[in-house]
Amino acid sequence: MIYQCYPKKENEKSLFSEEPYEGFGLEPEVNESLFLNCPELEDPFNRLQLTEYACMLWHWRNPESNSDDWFGTTSHRQLDKLFYRFSTKEMVDKLVNDHNVVGWGEYSMYGGNKNSISLREHTNICHPGLNEYMEKVLEDFNCTLPARWDSQTTGFFCNYWAMNLDLFNEYMEFSWPIVKNSLNKIKDSNYFKTQTTYLTVSKDKAIGYLMERLFIIWYMRKGITPFNPFTSLPILHRA
């Protein structure tokens, strides 16, 4: 199943009706089982920091809730960014069976001069201080940013993907210790303290911006690239 994350009751009108999708509420007002095996989600600060990662954590801790042999997530705001959706579970089944990891949130990054920019440059523009924060938090787990971080100009951002359960469990085993560590340390970081606020961006979701990139770091470290059944979308940064 592809779980479509949403925080508020009024967001339910944006949920997809197609077979592969099921809504997942990110707040207890829209999900009465949200705290099941997930005591971390009882804290409102954690819920906002984790954003859609809360859905991944919940399903990792409650695997019996998903009857498919793959797991996927997306957002109730997907159509604000990405214009594709699957019509049948059979379609997703085949793609995951053939490719293991399927992503539809692939972006190509460009600077103000319309030249391609790297994932590092893109992160510096969107979230100043995040590259340095990621390097520090990864070091705590004897990890480093992949070499391609400084040269790759495209990336599949979380949370627009589906993958088989073995890889999903592997991703969570990699990412959760890093995310959990950040929940304890984020408020003391310069990245959190200096995070700028614009549009929907704020320090209240600082870990969410880390989470978006942990997926890229994970698949780069494994030497795999998600299969995109659609097309990469350009992002132009004028900063």
Side-chain angles (χ1 to χ4, degrees), residues 21-225:
Y21 299 94
E22 181 178 313
F24 184 88
L26 298 174
E27 291 291 333
E29 291 78 10
V30 289
N31 187 344
E32 62 182 15
S33 64
L34 184 63
F35 303 152
L36 180 63
N37 297 320
C38 293
E40 301 89 349
L41 301 183
E42 295 179 21
D43 186 334
F45 175 84
N46 289 349
R47 292 199 299 272
L48 193 52
Q49 285 292 331
L50 295 179
T51 60
E52 289 91 347
Y53 191 88
C55 175
M56 304 172 207
L57 180 64
W58 192 93
H59 284 92
W60 186 44
R61 297 264 184 84
N62 297 281
E64 69 286 347
S65 64
N66 179 23
S67 60
D68 297 306
D69 57 5
W70 51 268
F71 171 86
T73 69
T74 188
S75 167
H76 73 99
R77 296 177 58 238
Q78 179 183 308
L79 293 184
D80 294 344
K81 309 172 185 179
L82 305 160
F83 309 106
Y84 312 106
R85 62 177 104 177
F86 301 101
S87 57
T88 66
K89 288 181 73 171
E90 182 180 5
M91 181 186 303
V92 186
D93 284 337
K94 186 177 189 313
L95 285 170
V96 173
N97 185 62
D98 290 346
H99 304 284
N100 294 320
V101 184
V102 179
W104 52 96
E106 183 184 18
Y107 290 100
S108 300
M109 273 66 77
Y110 297 91
N113 56 7
K114 297 187 179 180
N115 289 333
S116 295
I117 60 175
S118 68
L119 287 165
R120 180 179 289 276
E121 292 171 302
H122 166 264
T123 300
N124 276 336
I125 292 170
C126 293
H127 307 290
L130 179 53
N131 278 311
E132 294 76 13
Y133 178 78
M134 289 193 297
E135 287 171 335
K136 185 175 181 179
V137 75
L138 287 172
E139 186 178 356
D140 291 341
F141 296 90
N142 297 314
C143 294
T144 59
L145 287 172
R148 290 165 58 198
W149 195 255
D150 294 312
S151 59
Q152 187 75 23
T153 61
T154 63
F156 289 83
F157 286 78
C158 209
N159 60 315
Y160 302 104
W161 48 256
M163 66 175 94
N164 67 51
L165 291 180
D166 286 342
L167 286 176
F168 172 62
N169 288 329
E170 184 178 324
Y171 169 67
M172 293 302 297
E173 289 167 1
F174 165 77
S175 62
W176 172 239
I178 298 170
V179 172
K180 181 180 179 181
N181 186 48
S182 289
L183 285 174
N184 295 326
K185 295 183 175 181
I186 192 68
K187 289 183 180 179
D188 295 326
S189 69
N190 288 331
Y191 159 59
F192 178 84
K193 294 175 181 177
T194 61
Q195 178 64 218
T196 54
T197 299
Y198 63 95
L199 300 176
T200 63
V201 174
S202 77
K203 66 181 181 181
D204 295 333
K205 295 183 284 186
I207 294 177
Y209 311 132
L210 164 68
M211 176 274 298
E212 289 177 331
R213 290 157 178 82
L214 277 179
F215 178 61
I216 300 175
I217 293 167
W218 172 75
Y219 73 67
M220 282 186 169
R221 283 172 55 84
K222 283 191 66 65
I224 62 177
T225 301

